[in-house]
């Protein structure tokens, strides 16, 4: 005879040991006498540390003082943050002329505004946003930061940047209000939604050209004073070097990785050689080489300034590391994906760009962001070759007469700054990972 | 039996034009001679089934037809175009030849609909709306239009394989190649895929199918081929092929898969 359970067993609430705070405490912290002892011991250590840090850094600390002597007069057992606060401008902007600092802030604001649409779901054409930032922003920012005379090339790029930025912002507005892309909106406005794709494209091109001419004439009117690179420094310089490094290391790494996997022997050997050489040398060596050797190879009269040399070195070095990360990601994608792409007629670049690379990049996010974090921290090495980046500025506080010997506080402040930057990147990468993996699987 | 024979004759009668012509073709993997002096002609609308033990070169043969593999000697002429190292031919051939794999090879990072519209949009340069319309039509035809917005990982094997067939059809190919399309499927899913393929055969598509599904082969095929160790050992109409194999190797092999 079959055994049948006619009554459905009702669900009961979980026992109290599973749900209450007391239950959790008992299970995790006080499960035995020894563990309870350990818990108390650790609590004591944590208390000692935290209270020590707070007393030194906050309760007994001096925030306002003219010099280090005053700090000591105020309290011998507390931190002297006054020195760090006094140097804030130097720490963030280096020796950039004080009345020109707005240019750096403005440049940063532009970048933030320009990139913002990438995180707004309703805005269309995110890839174009990214491409326009990478193509135009460096020139606009470059001019903004260094100023001086604009050559004709620079004028064109600056005008292009203004147009690209304006288009981008208009696109955000139409995206948010009308939920459509700017081009679709313009076509509709002009009553051309029925005309052929070619007519529409021509109209849009015409509009863009007009905008470009207007921007070009407009930008001829304004000029900003030249600022020598020797005045660049602090967090600003760190951000410039690592920003350009981060923005170019990934594309460079992708190209090198593809080169290394290429079927063409010359490209493969060159890429492999390049990668292996740069990976086998410490960054500091590459930096020294860049600043002492590059000038020897340059034609007479061409003088690269130091930040440019450093940026080239950082980009090449990190592109080589990135290349290996990308190669690992590419190898994780089954061969069948490329074959599937080929059978629907996609060629090498189509299969790579649409099918393989997007999947590989998704797998690589943790490693890529890991490299980015490394890159940001590695830029502190430039202080060794005489650039005053964030670390350089922080260490020079102790050589400033009023703050002679003030080492600890600036370095702790630097550590906090770096932690914020790196932790934000790490958190963002985690967020990206979760977002992408929840997108693609159910 | 008579029925199938007439069908075969009909096929060759209605379409004397040659779709695929393989002449004295040889292929090596390094020192290993995979395909030995292959000669094969497939006419428009003809359906060919290839069977054979693993390692016999049957997959390699059909992969050569859409140039996923390179052959070293002899000629392969597909739709009037000779396959070679010329890259332009290659892209053209691949748009005319659809292929369905044992492991589906769908793109896991794209939805079903995006999987289907990728080729028409990027290769055929269709507008997005047109591509979606075509894609939905073919999804209807493989009977899973409701899955359009899901990702491949959310579908069963049989559904994935039907999507793969639809993805190839969206390119409107002249030839469809199937590389063991049901071998990776659970038994209850094999039928749904075979049904789709039978429907496709009814539309007059030129098909080359690597499979051991005998019932299916008898229903649709005009001809069956047995390959072993890189040779075409036997070639016959499917009923005779499966019921009275003539070559010893064919007999031995068929007795094992029955």
């Amino acid at each position: 005879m079959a055994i049948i359970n006619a009554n459905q067993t009702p669900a009961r609430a979980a026992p109290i040991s599973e749900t209450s705070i007391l239950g959790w405490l008992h299970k995790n912290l006080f499960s035995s006498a020894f563990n309870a002892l350990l818990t108390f011991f650790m609590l004591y250590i944590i208390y000692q540390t935290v209270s020590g840090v707070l007393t030194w850094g906050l309760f007994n600390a001096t925030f306002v003082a003219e010099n280090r002597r005053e700090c000591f007069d105020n309290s011998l057992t507390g931190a002297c943050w006054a020195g760090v606060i006094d140097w804030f401008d130097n720490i963030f902007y280096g020796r950039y002329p004080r009345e020109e600092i707005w240019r750096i802030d403005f440049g940063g604001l532009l970048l933030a505004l320009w990139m913002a649409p990438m995180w707004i779901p309703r805005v269309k054409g995110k890839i174009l946003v990214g491409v326009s930032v990478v193509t135009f922003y460096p020139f606009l920012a470059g001019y903004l930061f260094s100023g001086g005379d604009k050559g004709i090339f620079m004028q064109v790029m600056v005008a292009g940047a203004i147009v690209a930025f304006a288009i981008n912002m208009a696109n955000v507005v139409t995206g948010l209000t009308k939920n459509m892309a700017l081009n679709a909106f313009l076509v509709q406005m002009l009553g051309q939604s029925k005309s052929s794709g070619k007519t529409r494209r021509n109209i849009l091109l015409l509009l863009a050209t007009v905008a470009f001419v207007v921007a070009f004439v407009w930008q001829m009117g304004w000029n900003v004073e030249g600022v020598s690179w020797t005045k660049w420094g602090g967090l600003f310089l760190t951000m410039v070097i690592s920003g350009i490094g981060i923005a170019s290391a990934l594309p460079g790494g992708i190209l090198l990785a593809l080169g290394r996997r290429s079927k063409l022997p010359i490209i493969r050997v060159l890429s492999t050689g390049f990668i292996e050489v740069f990976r086998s040398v410490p960054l500091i060596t590459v930096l020294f080489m860049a600043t002492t050797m590059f000038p020897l190879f340059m034609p007479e009269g061409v003088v690269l300034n130091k930040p440019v040399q450093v940026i080239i070195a950082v980009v090449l070095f990190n592109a080589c590391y990135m290349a290996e990360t990308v190669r690992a990601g590419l190898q994780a994608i089954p061969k069948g994906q490329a074959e599937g792409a080929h059978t629907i007629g996609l060629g090498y670049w189509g299969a790579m760009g649409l099918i393989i690379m997007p999947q590989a990049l998704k797998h690589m996010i943790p490693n890529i962001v890991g490299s980015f974090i490394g890159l940001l921290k590695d830029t502190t090495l430039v202080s060794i070759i005489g650039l005053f980046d964030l670390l350089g500025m922080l260490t020079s506080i102790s050589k400033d007469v009023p703050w002679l010997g003030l080492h600890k506080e600036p370095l702790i402040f630097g550590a906090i700054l770096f932690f914020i930057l790196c932790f934000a990147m790490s958190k963002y990468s985690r967020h990206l990972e979760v977002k992408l993996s929840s997108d693609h699987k159910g | 039996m008579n029925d199938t024979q007439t069908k075969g004759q009909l096929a060759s009668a209605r379409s004397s034009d040659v779709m695929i012509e393989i002449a004295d073709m040889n292929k090596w993997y390094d020192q290993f001679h995979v395909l030995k002096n292959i000669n094969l002609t497939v006419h428009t609308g003809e359906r060919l089934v290839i069977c054979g033990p693993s390692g016999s070169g049957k997959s390699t043969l059909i992969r050569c037809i859409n140039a996923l593999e390179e052959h070293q000697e002899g000629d392969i002429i597909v739709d009037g175009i000779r396959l070679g190292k010329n890259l332009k031919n290659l892209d053209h051939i691949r748009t005319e030849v659809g292929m369905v794999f044992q492991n589906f090879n769908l793109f896991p990072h794209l939805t079903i609909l995006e999987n289907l519209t990728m080729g028409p949009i990027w290769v055929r340069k269709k507008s997005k709306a047109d591509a979606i319309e075509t894609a939905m039509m073919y999804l209807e035809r493989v009977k899973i239009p409701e899955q359009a917005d899901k990702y491949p990982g959310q579908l069963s094997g049989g559904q994935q394989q039907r999507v793969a067939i639809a993805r190839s059809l969206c390119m409107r190919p002249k030839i469809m190649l199937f590389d063991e399309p049901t071998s990776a499927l659970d038994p209850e899913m094999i039928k749904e895929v075979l049904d789709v393929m039978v429907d496709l055969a009814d539309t007059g598509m030129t098909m080359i199918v690597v499979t051991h599904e005998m019932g299916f082969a008898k229903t649709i095929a005009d001809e069956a081929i047995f390959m072993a160790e890189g040779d075409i050992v036997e070639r016959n109409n499917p009923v005779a092929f499966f019921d009275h194999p003539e070559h010893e190797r064919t007999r031995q092999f068929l007795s094992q898969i029955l």
Side-chain angles (χ1 to χ4, degrees):
Chain A
M1 209 182 104
I3 301 168
I4 293 167
N5 184 359
N7 306 325
Q8 200 183 2
T9 316
R12 286 187 301 139
I16 207 139
S17 63
E18 291 299 312
T19 51
S20 71
I21 296 170
L22 275 178
W24 183 89
L25 283 177
H26 178 77
K27 206 163 104 185
N28 292 292
L29 298 178
F30 302 99
S31 53
S32 69
F34 179 68
N35 281 351
L37 207 66
L38 268 184
T39 301
F40 283 121
F41 180 63
M42 290 313 292
L43 279 177
Y44 174 73
I45 288 182
I46 292 170
Y47 166 76
Q48 280 295 323
T49 317
V50 172
S51 75
V53 167
L54 285 181
T55 314
W56 176 81
L58 216 56
F59 305 136
N60 289 354
T62 311
F63 291 91
V64 186
E66 282 296 307
N67 51 44
R68 203 156 177 233
R69 168 64 44 205
E70 277 182 39
C71 281
F72 286 142
D73 291 344
N74 184 26
S75 138
L76 272 173
T77 55
C80 179
W81 296 117
V84 176
I85 293 170
D86 188 36
W87 269 64
F88 258 5
D89 276 354
N90 286 328
I91 292 172
F92 290 119
Y93 304 105
R95 300 186 198 285
Y96 212 79
R98 290 297 167 261
E99 66 278 11
E100 300 288 335
I101 278 178
W102 66 269
R103 280 154 57 176
I104 295 177
D105 294 337
F106 184 58
L109 183 72
L110 276 182
L111 182 63
L113 279 176
W114 205 324
M115 304 266 283
M118 302 231 234
W119 289 277
I120 306 175
R122 286 180 63 174
V123 176
K124 313 259 189 285
K126 295 205 167 50
I127 293 175
L128 270 179
V129 174
V131 171
S132 72
V133 168
V134 174
T135 334
F136 289 113
Y137 180 77
F139 296 97
L140 183 65
Y143 178 68
L144 209 54
F145 297 157
S146 50
D149 284 332
K150 283 180 281 196
I152 183 71
F153 174 72
M154 213 50 175
Q155 297 209 24
V156 169
M157 291 318 275
V158 167
I162 295 170
V163 174
F165 182 73
I167 291 177
N168 184 28
M169 287 298 112
N171 186 39
V172 171
V173 173
T174 56
L176 287 180
T177 56
K178 301 257 190 275
N179 202 12
M180 63 203 300
L182 179 67
N183 50 358
F185 175 73
L186 283 176
V187 166
Q188 199 187 52
M189 276 282 288
L190 297 167
Q192 298 286 342
S193 23
K194 296 227 166 51
S195 36
S196 70
K198 212 170 181 183
T199 332
R200 279 191 256 169
R201 198 179 320 140
N202 286 343
I203 291 174
L204 291 174
L205 268 179
L206 184 74
L207 284 176
T209 315
V210 171
F212 180 78
V213 171
V214 171
F216 191 82
V217 173
W218 180 54
Q219 63 82 32
M220 284 200 293
W222 53 266
N223 265 302
V224 283
E225 197 183 317
V227 175
S228 157
W229 62 265
T230 47
K231 299 220 157 60
W232 294 23
L235 183 64
F236 163 60
L237 184 62
T238 301
M239 292 304 253
V240 168
I241 296 174
S242 56
I244 297 179
I246 285 173
S248 359
L250 187 57
I254 288 176
L255 285 182
L256 280 172
L258 293 181
R260 192 167 185 168
R261 284 165 58 97
S262 169
K263 287 202 181 97
L264 308 170
I266 295 178
I267 294 183
R268 188 174 59 239
V269 168
L270 280 181
S271 308
T272 310
F274 195 76
I275 292 171
E276 292 305 335
V277 165
F278 270 92
R279 274 179 9 122
S280 323
V281 177
L283 176 59
I284 189 67
T285 320
V286 180
L287 286 174
F288 273 120
M289 250 188 52
T291 46
T292 54
M293 309 265 291
F294 271 171
L296 300 180
F297 299 139
M298 287 291 145
E300 213 168 332
V302 176
V303 183
L304 284 179
N305 64 34
K306 226 177 201 174
V308 172
Q309 293 167 345
V310 164
I311 285 169
I312 293 175
V314 166
V315 166
L316 290 180
F317 185 81
N318 284 288
C320 290
Y321 269 91
M322 197 56 79
E324 291 300 280
T325 309
V326 173
R327 195 166 66 96
L330 288 175
Q331 268 162 356
I333 306 300
K335 209 174 149 223
Q337 289 293 310
E339 292 180 349
H342 291 323
T343 56
I344 57 167
L346 291 170
Y348 174 81
W349 292 107
M352 204 38 103
L354 296 168
I355 308 299
I356 299 168
M357 201 52 87
Q359 294 184 57
L361 284 175
K362 201 183 89 189
H363 291 303
M364 292 184 289
I365 289 172
N367 294 335
I368 290 175
V369 177
S371 306
F372 285 170
I373 291 175
L375 192 160
L376 177 69
K377 293 190 290 188
D378 282 351
T379 53
T380 50
L381 282 175
V382 303
S383 60
I384 299 179
I385 55 164
L387 283 178
F388 285 91
D389 74 320
L390 182 55
L391 186 67
M393 273 298 160
L394 289 167
T395 47
S396 31
I397 296 181
S398 66
K399 292 163 201 135
D400 188 25
V401 177
W403 310 105
L404 220 51
L406 188 73
H407 293 289
K408 232 183 300 169
E409 290 83 350
L411 288 178
I412 290 175
F413 181 71
I416 294 171
L417 272 185
F418 271 111
F419 176 78
I420 293 173
L421 291 172
C422 296
F423 189 66
M425 278 204 264
S426 158
K427 270 299 186 204
Y428 182 65
S429 92
R430 190 68 210 124
H431 161 81
L432 262 188
E433 258 176 83
V434 172
K435 184 162 168 270
L436 289 178
S437 62
S438 66
D439 267 4
H440 299 155
K441 286 195 193 92
Chain B
M1 173 165 173
N2 268 334
D3 182 41
T4 323
Q5 265 179 343
T6 22
K7 209 160 111 189
Q9 282 157 1
L10 267 179
S12 36
R14 80 168 162 249
S15 45
S16 50
D17 42 332
V18 176
M19 187 57 101
I20 302 169
E21 167 123 52
I22 301 175
D24 302 326
M25 192 262 277
N26 281 281
K27 173 168 177 61
W28 288 264
Y29 284 129
D30 292 328
Q31 286 301 311
F32 180 60
H33 201 169
V34 228
L35 293 174
K36 299 168 185 161
N37 221 31
I38 302 288
N39 284 288
L40 188 67
T41 308
V42 182
H43 297 271
T44 306
E46 204 174 342
R47 270 97 53 179
L48 189 69
V49 164
I50 305 177
C51 24
S54 63
S56 61
K58 53 195 194 306
S59 291
T60 311
L61 174 61
I62 70 167
R63 288 161 64 86
C64 282
I65 294 174
N66 72 345
L68 281 181
E69 303 276 357
E70 243 175 88
H71 60 285
Q72 281 87 26
E73 270 179 24
D75 284 329
I76 302 179
I77 300 169
V78 180
D79 194 21
I81 296 172
R82 187 184 304 270
L83 293 193
K85 301 210 169 177
N86 187 337
L87 210 77
K88 246 192 172 150
N89 283 0
L90 226 162
D91 286 345
H92 180 72
I93 289 300
R94 283 175 177 164
T95 59
E96 303 298 340
V97 184
M99 180 148 181
V100 174
F101 300 87
Q102 182 177 353
N103 302 318
F104 328 134
N105 290 345
L106 294 176
F107 310 132
H109 63 305
L110 302 174
T111 64
I112 300 306
L113 197 59
E114 288 166 338
N115 265 279
L116 265 61
T117 53
M118 176 87 34
I121 290 176
W122 288 88
V123 181
R124 291 266 195 240
K125 311 284 178 203
K126 291 272 164 53
S127 77
K128 205 175 164 191
D130 284 354
I132 289 178
E133 197 184 323
T134 316
M136 286 314 291
M137 186 191 96
Y138 281 112
L139 278 182
E140 300 270 1
R141 216 159 112 188
V142 300
K143 300 181 191 75
I144 36 175
E146 72 282 358
Q147 310 285 3
D149 294 321
K150 290 198 182 158
Y151 287 92
Q154 296 167 297
L155 269 54
S156 73
Q159 290 173 326
Q160 290 194 46
Q161 192 61 294
R162 285 186 280 159
V163 171
I165 295 173
R167 179 176 72 181
S168 284
L169 291 178
C170 279
M171 294 298 290
R172 305 210 184 257
K174 293 182 178 163
I175 304 163
M176 283 288 285
L177 307 173
F178 294 85
D179 189 2
E180 306 205 29
T182 55
S183 304
L185 298 177
D186 290 339
E188 71 265 32
M189 292 169 184
I190 291 178
K191 189 178 174 307
E192 62 186 55
V193 172
L194 292 182
D195 285 348
V196 166
M197 290 169 65
V198 171
D199 284 350
L200 183 63
D202 287 342
T203 65
M205 175 68 76
T206 310
M207 293 163 72
I208 301 182
V209 186
V210 174
T211 186
H212 298 146
E213 292 293 332
M214 222 164 47
F216 167 76
K218 282 183 187 169
T219 326
I220 69 138
D222 298 311
E223 225 173 359
I225 282 179
F226 177 73
M227 286 186 73
E229 286 157 8
D231 283 313
I232 295 181
V233 174
E234 185 165 347
R235 183 173 177 179
N236 206 340
N237 81 66
V239 175
F241 178 89
F242 285 108
D243 292 349
H244 316 285
E246 289 182 10
H247 196 280
E248 175 57 32
R249 290 257 9 218
T250 322
R251 248 195 303 256
Q252 206 183 347
F253 175 73
L254 288 176
S255 71
Q256 279 164 0
I257 64 165
L258 287 183

